[in-house]
RNA sequence: GCCGAGGUGGCGGAAUGGUAGACGCGGCGGACUUAAAAUCCGUUGCCCUUUAAAGGCGUGUGGGUUCGAGUCCCUCCCUCGGUACCA
């Protein structure tokens, strides 16, 4: 794919120009960002890449438009910080190490080397002095520092939690390593294991994370996804009594369920609890114990697989005991069922088949009663073919009959609280963030376990806790750090006796939750970030990146900033004020790019042949940035042609011949076109509408081309048009713009210039094309002066022979007049 | 299933409720050339028409609102993305 057929030859040497300016900019520190500036600040960030070792076209699609936007802000007069770094910890490094025997550190650092070079070929305004590499101890030391702060605040805690386990590889798997319930590497069916693991209490912030007030401009789609992810629902917790099969109360104990539909309490016909529920054992009667055990075993194994592949198979197992509905005094059977999740609500569900789809399916399968208690407009039929989940009037609910179910919800909740049977409560879907990874290539969690003092935090003065080089990271069934004796054996920070280090490492989302602070001064030694710089630069004004990070990364980052704020470390609550999500670049076949499809485009090949600017411009031109779109080897030729034309227009000698006449009208028209162009390009770049901005510039260059042929304007006017054009071109095609700026004899650098400003007066028209419609259909167009009266336009329109032909003596019922736009004659 | 985005020429895509198809690709015709490529000029939604003029039809489907709908409302179909037993 390195040689494309029918490639349009360029009039300039792109590789020469690219490297010429890239090295000049670097030498001059042109893009070094000054922290002290009179200009207003603009912090524009793009999500940093994982150093996979190869910069693919998707990276170009993410980075070149964001660079263009940052450059535009720069030319608008902002002091712009547009940093880049590497998300350098993570699984692929460890996999490469396991497969190829290279140390993860070596592999990662080599990849960063090559990717840094590839990134430089973009010609972006990155300030490389601020590069962040999070596998560097200089960075992860502060991960540990922040972790200790979280621990101090009670936001970090250790608890048993299940992990996905591959019995064959003897290793913990990440969710994405599980394919159809099997290990992606060896295809073995996975199981689960309970391990003591570290969590961050993001749930403390669940309510506040739902508040998006502090954000200026985020896509509604992302907010919805975050809302759903947090999953707030308000309901009632209510206790049920417990009976054995002889109707005797088992104990004073009760079982609590959470429901959002307390209005259906009279329709409860069974209770379903999670197989993991703590009361399962005590509720299981002798005659059911074998079956219950079997069901629990089975759900442990199958649940994950079933969940992924099948839809809504509801199974359960009777435990033998009964629950007592305190409102009806009815005795209802208790089941364990894997559709009830142990970690949501109370892990127990009151089954109301008539008004819940899942309960309905379950009741059908086990022949349980269906009892309708909410009536949809008078329908009291008890033979239901499906659950009725809507609202209505209460029936079969004793004293609550006849009122709306909304009202009943309120009354019942109050009643329950009065009787002390339960309480109103709010439930969240979001769970605490599990940050422990049983992996080598990550930040060591700075904790120590002492047999005398228990879990102890490492002293801040002992940071960083370095990742040892000698750990065996090949899978063994334990955290790899356990194999480094020197690492594990340490001294208790409290009693100075022998102790062991925590051997889990941190989730890489920990790194990316605060890297925006570190960019400000990645070398800062006193703290994770320099407060003075945080005050002047944060929060990030514009963040761009893929929508795949809608919930995890973006939610974690918001949580971090709120937690840091509550510790008094920052004084704002949102890290990213504006967010824009780019789409996905597709292959030429309109399919997602993948090696197996063979439709991958290697940007290096194209850049070598056509230059960075051609690639940048094409990627921005194919369509709206947030929609993504297909690459095209043929389509990029159009860009090459355009760049050639730009080259010609801006380098050709413009001189008036002896017989050339300067035409005032042509000059005025050119000025108007220029100013219209400036307005359109300015407004489009502002809103990330690169495709239409470029289209407008193309139109303008076509117009300039015509002017070049007629030479009917003064050379001074011509030169100022070329100058303005180049300035608009600069953020889009920075190398070529700089070269042409130099050829035209302007002072280096174009990238230190301001974006042109348009003059609204020059844009206003005095003659417009009036559309004349008959019955809403365009029949003629007439030139009229601006601001013409309706009556005048009407008589002009009626004079048109084309219009006459359509009216043809019929009576005019009505005339719609839109000033300076159209007139519609209705007959 | 639910949530979100979208469906416009041969293709990528433009269009504050007011000229549908900007800009570009591709195609066609011409100029230049021994020739080809490149370049330049012209042309290009479909139908009818020898051509032109003049019509007619056209933004996934079917309805509606409006003087006027790609755009607003309702029904359905399809594509893509996200998410999933949340009680």
């Amino acid at each position: 794919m390195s040689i494309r057929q029918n490639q349009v030859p360029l009039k300039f040497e792109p590789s020469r120009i690219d490297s010429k300016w890239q090295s000049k900019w670097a030498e001059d520190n042109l893009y070094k960002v000054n922290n002290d500036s009179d200009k207003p600040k603009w912090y524009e960030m793009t999500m940093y890449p994982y150093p996979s070792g190869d910069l693919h076209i998707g990276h170009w699609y993410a980075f070149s438009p964001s660079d263009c936007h940052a450059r535009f802000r720069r030319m608008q007069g902002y002091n712009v910080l547009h940093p880049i770094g590497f998300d350098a910890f993570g699984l692929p490094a460890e996999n490469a190490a396991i497969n190829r025997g290279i140390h993860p550190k070596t592999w990662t650092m080599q990849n960063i080397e090559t990717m840094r070079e590839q990134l430089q070929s973009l010609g972006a305004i990155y300030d490389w002095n601020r590069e962040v590499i999070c596998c560097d101890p200089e960075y992860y030391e502060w991960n540990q520092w922040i972790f200790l702060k979280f621990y101090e605040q009670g936001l970090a805690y250790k608890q048993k939690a299940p992990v996905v386990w591959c019995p064959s590889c003897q290793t913990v798997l990440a969710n994405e390593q599980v394919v159809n319930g099997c290990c992606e590497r060896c295809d073995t069916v996975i199981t689960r294991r309970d391990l003591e693991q570290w969590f961050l209490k993001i749930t403390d912030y669940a309510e506040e994370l739902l508040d998006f007030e502090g954000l200026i401009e985020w896509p509604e789609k992302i907010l919805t996804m975050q809302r759903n992810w947090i999953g707030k629902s308000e309901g009632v917790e209510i206790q049920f009594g417990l009976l054995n099969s002889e109707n005797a109360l088992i104990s004073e104990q009760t079982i609590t369920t959470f429901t959002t539909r307390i209005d259906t309490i009279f329709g409860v016909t069974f209770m379903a609890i999670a197989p993991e529920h703590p009361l399962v054992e005590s509720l299981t009667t002798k005659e059911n114990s074998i079956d219950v055990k079997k069901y629990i075993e089975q759900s442990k194994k199958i649940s994950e697989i079933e969940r992924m592949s099948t839809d809504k198979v509801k199974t359960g197992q009777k435990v033998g005991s009964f629950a007592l509905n305190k409102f009806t005094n009815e005795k209802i059977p208790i089941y364990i069922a894997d559709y009830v999740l142990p970690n949501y609500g109370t892990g127990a569900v009151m089954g109301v088949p008539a008004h819940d789809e899942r309960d309905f399916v379950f009741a059908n399968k086990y022949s349980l009663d269906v009892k309708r208690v909410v009536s949809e407009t008078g329908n009291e039929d008890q033979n239901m073919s499906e659950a009725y989940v809507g609202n209505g009037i209460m029936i079969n609910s004793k004293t609550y009959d006849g009122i709306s179910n909304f009202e009943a919800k309120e009354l019942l909740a109050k009643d329950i609280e009065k009787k002390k049977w339960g309480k109103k409560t709010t439930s969240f879907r979001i769970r605490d963030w599990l940050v422990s990874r049983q992996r080598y290539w990550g930040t060591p969690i700075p904790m120590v376990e002492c047999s005398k003092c228990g879990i102890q935090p490492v002293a801040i003065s002992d940071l960083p806790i370095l990742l040892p080089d000698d750990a065996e990271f090949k899978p063994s069934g334990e955290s790899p750090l356990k194999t480094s004796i020197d690492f594990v054996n340490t001294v208790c920070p409290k009693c100075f006796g022998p102790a062991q280090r925590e051997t889990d490492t941190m989730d890489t989302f920990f790194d990316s939750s605060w890297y925006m602070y570190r960019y400000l001064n990645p070398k800062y030694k006193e703290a994770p970030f320099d407060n003075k710089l945080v005050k002047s630069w944060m929060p990030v004004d514009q963040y761009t990146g893929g929508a795949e990070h809608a919930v995890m990364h973006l939610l974690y980052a918001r949580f971090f900033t709120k937690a840091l704020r509550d510790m008094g470390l920052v004084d704002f609550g949102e890290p990213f004020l504006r967010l824009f999500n780019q789409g996905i670049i597709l292959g030429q076949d309109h399919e997602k790019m993948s090696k197996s499809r063979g439709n991958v485009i290697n940007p290096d090949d194209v850049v070598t042949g056509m230059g960075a600017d051609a690639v940048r411009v094409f990627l921005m031109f194919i369509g709206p940035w947030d929609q993504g779109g297909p690459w095209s080897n043929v389509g990029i030729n159009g860009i090459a042609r355009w760049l050639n034309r730009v080259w010609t227009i801006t380098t050709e000698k413009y001189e008036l011949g002896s017989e050339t006449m300067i035409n005032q009208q042509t000059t005025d028209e050119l000025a108007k076109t220029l100013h219209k162009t400036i307005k359109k390009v300015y407004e489009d770049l502002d809103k990330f509408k690169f495709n239409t901005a470029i289209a407008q510039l193309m139109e303008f260059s076509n117009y300039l081309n015509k002017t070049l042929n007629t030479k009917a304007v003064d050379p001074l006017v011509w030169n100022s048009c070329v100058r303005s054009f180049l300035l608009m071109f600069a953020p889009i095609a920075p190398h070529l713009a700089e070269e042409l700026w130099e050829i035209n004899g302007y002072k280096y650098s174009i990238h230190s210039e301001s974006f042109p400003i348009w003059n609204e007066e020059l844009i206003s028209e005095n003659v417009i094309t009036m559309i004349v419609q008959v019955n809403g259909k365009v029949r003629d167009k007439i030139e009229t002066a601006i601001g013409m009266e309706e009556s005048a336009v009407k008589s002009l329109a009626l004079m048109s022979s084309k219009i006459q032909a359509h009216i043809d003596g019929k009576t005019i019922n009505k005339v719609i007049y839109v000033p300076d736009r159209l007139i519609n004659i209705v007959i």
Side-chain angles (χ1 to χ4, degrees):
Chain A
M1 195 44 261
S2 59
I3 299 165
R4 274 183 320 287
Q5 290 169 337
N6 301 328
Q7 187 188 306
V8 172
L10 295 166
K11 294 190 171 182
F12 49 90
E13 284 178 75
S15 55
R16 204 203 88 235
I17 294 175
D18 285 359
S19 59
K20 170 182 168 186
W21 292 112
Q22 280 164 21
S23 34
K24 174 109 174 102
W25 295 332
E27 261 168 48
D28 301 346
N29 270 319
L30 187 67
Y31 302 129
K32 185 165 194 266
V33 182
N34 196 345
N35 287 321
D36 310 298
S37 166
D38 302 335
K39 297 175 183 173
K41 69 98 180 181
W42 184 266
Y43 190 176
E44 177 140 3
M45 243 178 98
T46 184
M47 292 175 188
Y48 66 170
Y50 180 79
S52 57
D54 192 33
L55 195 76
H56 53 80
I57 198 79
H59 289 119
W60 275 78
Y61 192 63
F63 299 152
S64 30
S66 72
D67 175 61
C68 176
H69 193 260
R71 281 175 175 279
F72 173 65
R73 286 277 181 266
R74 206 164 170 268
M75 292 183 81
Q76 279 179 309
Y78 289 97
N79 186 31
V80 174
L81 177 59
H82 185 51
I84 194 82
F86 295 97
D87 181 16
F89 270 138
L91 214 44
E94 216 157 315
N95 284 338
I98 293 162
N99 296 336
R100 289 191 263 149
I102 316 171
H103 195 277
K105 188 179 185 175
T106 319
W107 185 84
T108 304
M109 294 318 277
Q110 277 172 1
N111 286 349
I112 288 177
E113 284 299 313
T114 53
M115 276 183 88
R116 197 186 283 128
E117 249 170 70
Q118 288 174 306
L119 274 167
Q120 271 152 355
S121 74
L122 279 161
I125 58 170
Y126 303 136
D127 179 352
W128 288 97
N129 298 306
R130 311 210 186 215
E131 180 189 44
V132 155
I133 298 175
C134 53
C135 65
D136 191 331
E138 219 166 44
Y139 188 85
Y140 71 67
E141 163 174 11
W142 303 108
N143 275 347
Q144 296 170 335
W145 189 95
I146 293 170
F147 187 93
L148 291 174
K149 288 285 169 196
F150 274 70
Y151 182 74
E152 203 180 287
Q153 298 294 313
L155 286 172
Y157 65 94
K158 206 172 190 187
Q159 198 178 61
K160 261 210 158 93
V163 291
V164 185
W165 179 257
C166 172
S168 157
C169 297
Q170 287 285 295
T171 185
V172 176
L173 299 179
N175 278 334
E176 64 258 29
Q177 293 175 299
V178 181
V179 180
N180 290 327
C182 298
C183 171
E184 67 168 358
R185 220 174 310 153
C186 67
D187 241 12
T188 310
V189 176
I190 56 102
T191 58
R192 302 182 150 253
R193 272 195 168 187
D194 269 349
L195 289 179
E196 283 277 328
Q197 309 198 69
W198 286 97
F199 288 85
L200 295 186
K201 261 194 188 163
I202 192 173
T203 51
D204 273 12
Y205 288 85
E207 191 71 57
E208 203 195 334
L209 286 166
L210 280 171
D211 177 7
F212 302 114
E213 279 302 299
L215 305 174
I216 296 177
E217 204 178 356
W218 275 43
E220 199 50 47
K221 178 181 152 181
I222 303 291
L223 301 186
T224 308
M225 284 167 83
Q226 295 208 346
R227 243 178 242 123
N228 293 341
W229 187 264
I230 295 167
K232 179 181 178 176
S233 51
E234 296 184 39
V236 171
E237 267 182 22
I238 179 168
Q239 288 137 22
F240 283 72
L242 295 171
L243 305 170
N244 65 17
S245 42
E246 274 82 51
N247 284 352
L249 276 168
I250 292 180
S251 65
E252 287 306 301
Q253 232 176 351
T254 56
I255 190 164
T256 306
T257 69
F258 173 75
T259 179
T260 54
R261 290 296 303 272
I262 194 62
D263 52 314
T264 62
I265 185 74
F266 291 90
V268 176
T269 59
F270 68 97
M271 169 157 306
I273 64 177
E276 297 88 345
H277 196 283
L279 289 179
V280 169
E281 217 186 299
S282 59
L283 292 176
T284 303
T285 57
K286 263 192 209 117
E287 57 271 31
N288 289 297
S289 71
I290 294 171
D291 287 339
V292 167
K293 255 194 201 117
K294 232 194 260 167
Y295 186 81
I296 292 173
E297 273 314 302
Q298 177 200 319
S299 68
K300 240 186 215 158
K301 252 189 276 167
I302 308 176
S303 65
E304 199 66 12
I305 305 169
E306 289 297 286
R307 257 181 220 184
M308 295 205 156
S309 54
T310 45
D311 29 335
K312 319 222 169 185
V313 178
K314 305 259 175 295
T315 60
Q317 169 62 45
K318 215 189 281 179
V319 295
S321 313
F322 293 84
L324 182 74
N325 184 343
K326 298 187 180 183
F327 275 90
T328 56
N329 268 322
E330 278 167 356
K331 182 180 141 191
I332 53 175
I334 301 176
Y335 284 76
I336 53 173
D338 60 14
Y339 80 89
V340 182
L341 306 175
N343 37 26
Y344 181 78
T346 60
V349 170
M350 56 180 226
V352 187
H355 303 291
D356 182 281
E357 284 170 38
R358 293 151 306 182
D359 296 347
F360 187 86
V361 175
F362 190 83
N364 260 357
K365 179 158 180 175
Y366 296 101
S367 310
L368 299 161
D369 290 343
V370 177
K371 187 177 160 202
R372 187 194 278 268
V373 292
V374 175
S375 159
E376 146 195 37
T377 57
N379 181 2
E380 300 191 11
D381 189 1
Q382 293 295 321
N383 292 320
M384 303 172 79
S385 59
E386 57 178 2
Y388 173 66
V389 295
N391 297 306
I393 302 299
M394 301 289 292
I395 55 169
N396 299 323
S397 301
K398 299 194 174 163
T399 55
Y400 299 90
D401 281 359
I403 61 174
S404 81
N405 69 318
F406 290 108
E407 216 178 320
K409 264 187 199 175
E410 286 306 312
L411 290 175
L412 276 158
K414 272 187 204 147
D415 208 9
I416 287 164
E417 286 187 342
K418 207 164 75 196
K419 290 176 170 148
K420 301 227 159 63
W421 290 350
K423 56 172 196 231
K424 267 185 148 177
T425 178
T426 304
S427 215
F428 290 93
R429 187 192 107 100
I430 192 173
R431 297 175 214 160
D432 277 339
W433 174 12
L434 197 167
V435 289
S436 282
R437 295 294 120 100
Q438 293 71 41
R439 296 283 167 192
Y440 169 72
W441 195 230
T443 306
I445 292 174
M447 288 291 179
V448 166
E449 189 147 5
C450 171
S451 50
K452 259 198 263 164
C453 313
I455 294 172
Q456 290 297 323
V458 165
I460 286 208
S461 55
D462 287 344
L463 297 183
I465 305 304
L466 293 173
L467 200 53
D469 288 329
D470 65 347
E472 175 55 68
F473 40 78
K474 285 192 179 131
S476 65
E478 302 241 57
S479 288
L481 291 184
K482 282 207 162 72
T483 63
S484 174
I485 309 296
D486 290 348
F487 177 84
V488 173
N489 292 323
T490 186
V491 172
C492 170
K494 198 174 177 192
C495 72
F496 303 105
Q500 266 86 48
R501 281 195 196 285
E502 169 64 60
T503 53
D504 281 0
T505 52
M506 294 182 201
D507 179 6
T508 57
F509 279 126
F510 200 104
D511 309 320
S512 53
S513 293
W514 68 281
Y515 73 127
M516 52 282 191
Y517 295 93
R518 193 66 187 168
Y519 272 140
L520 304 178
N521 180 359
K523 303 270 184 315
Y524 195 60
K525 295 259 189 287
E526 314 302 317
F529 43 83
D530 182 342
N531 268 318
K532 222 173 59 216
L533 295 181
V534 168
K535 272 222 154 51
S536 58
W537 284 108
M538 287 294 288
V540 172
D541 296 284
Q542 180 73 60
Y543 197 33
T544 64
E548 67 273 20
H549 291 117
V551 279
M552 312 271 256
H553 163 54
L554 289 169
L555 215 44
Y556 294 151
R558 292 183 63 219
F559 158 57
F560 255 55
T561 290
K562 289 175 198 306
L564 293 174
R565 178 204 57 200
D566 289 349
M567 294 176 209
L569 295 170
V570 302
D571 56 6
F572 48 88
E574 293 289 351
F576 308 120
L577 298 179
R578 297 177 193 77
L579 176 72
F580 191 96
N581 295 118
Q582 79 265 359
I584 297 165
I585 184 86
L586 303 172
Q588 303 208 71
D589 52 2
H590 293 42
E591 299 285 339
K592 224 180 203 157
M593 279 194 204
S594 71
K595 278 186 192 136
S596 58
R597 282 201 184 89
N599 60 354
V600 176
I601 297 292
N602 179 355
D604 293 351
D605 295 342
V606 194
V607 171
T608 308
M610 310 187 84
D613 290 344
V615 178
R616 289 174 62 110
V617 174
F618 182 64
L619 289 174
M620 289 189 269
F621 184 66
I622 45 178
W625 194 31
D626 53 348
Q627 276 172 38
W631 175 266
S632 166
N633 280 335
V634 189
I636 197 173
N637 274 330
I639 301 302
R641 271 187 212 117
W642 183 54
L643 298 183
N644 277 338
R645 232 174 302 139
V646 167
W647 184 270
T648 309
I649 292 165
T650 56
T651 57
E652 200 115 304
K653 264 229 149 48
Y654 185 91
E655 279 171 340
L656 293 178
S658 50
E659 71 288 354
T660 329
M661 290 287 286
I662 290 176
N663 182 315
Q664 189 55 45
Q665 201 187 328
T666 312
T667 306
D668 291 348
E669 240 167 61
L670 179 60
K672 182 177 284 180
T673 312
L674 169 66
H675 284 259
K676 271 187 183 166
T677 299
I678 296 172
K679 182 179 185 179
K680 174 78 175 153
V681 174
Y682 188 103
E683 289 176 348
D684 282 356
L685 288 183
D686 199 64
K687 291 178 290 202
F688 296 97
K689 291 166 81 176
F690 305 106
N691 58 328
T692 46
I694 292 169
Q696 184 65 36
L697 275 181
M698 286 175 169
E699 269 189 80
F700 185 54
S701 62
N702 290 344
Y703 194 88
L704 285 177
N705 201 35
K706 272 186 201 136
T707 311
L708 191 61
N709 295 333
T710 60
K711 290 207 166 61
V713 303
D714 189 286
L716 285 174
V717 174
W718 171 260
N719 287 340
S720 85
C721 281
V722 167
R723 185 173 187 277
S724 298
F725 177 85
L726 288 176
L727 290 170
M728 291 186 273
F729 191 55
I732 294 167
H735 307 87
L736 208 47
E738 187 80 285
E739 179 77 10
L740 292 165
W741 189 252
E742 184 185 61
I743 292 173
N744 274 272
Y746 294 114
K747 204 181 112 222
Y748 172 84
S749 157
I750 191 172
H751 301 300
S752 304
E753 298 285 330
S754 297
F755 204 84
I757 307 285
W758 72 93
N759 180 344
E760 198 69 50
E761 272 172 45
L762 287 176
I763 294 175
S764 63
E765 306 277 352
N766 39 25
V767 176
I768 43 117
T769 307
M770 180 70 62
I771 302 304
V772 186
Q773 298 184 331
V774 177
N775 283 353
K777 289 197 172 169
V778 181
R779 296 302 182 186
D780 202 4
K781 296 161 196 181
I782 51 178
E783 299 275 299
T784 65
I786 200 145
M788 210 183 241
E789 289 286 321
E790 175 173 351
S791 54
V793 175
K794 188 182 166 189
S795 49
L796 267 180
L798 291 176
M799 274 185 329
S800 151
S801 57
K802 288 180 187 172
I803 299 304
Q804 278 301 329
H806 281 96
I807 308 179
D808 190 28
K810 291 173 188 131
T811 46
I812 296 166
N813 287 328
K814 203 174 179 185
V815 174
I816 309 286
Y817 180 61
V818 184
D820 299 333
R821 197 141 238 180
L822 70 78
I823 183 161
N824 185 12
I825 298 163
V826 186
I827 54 171

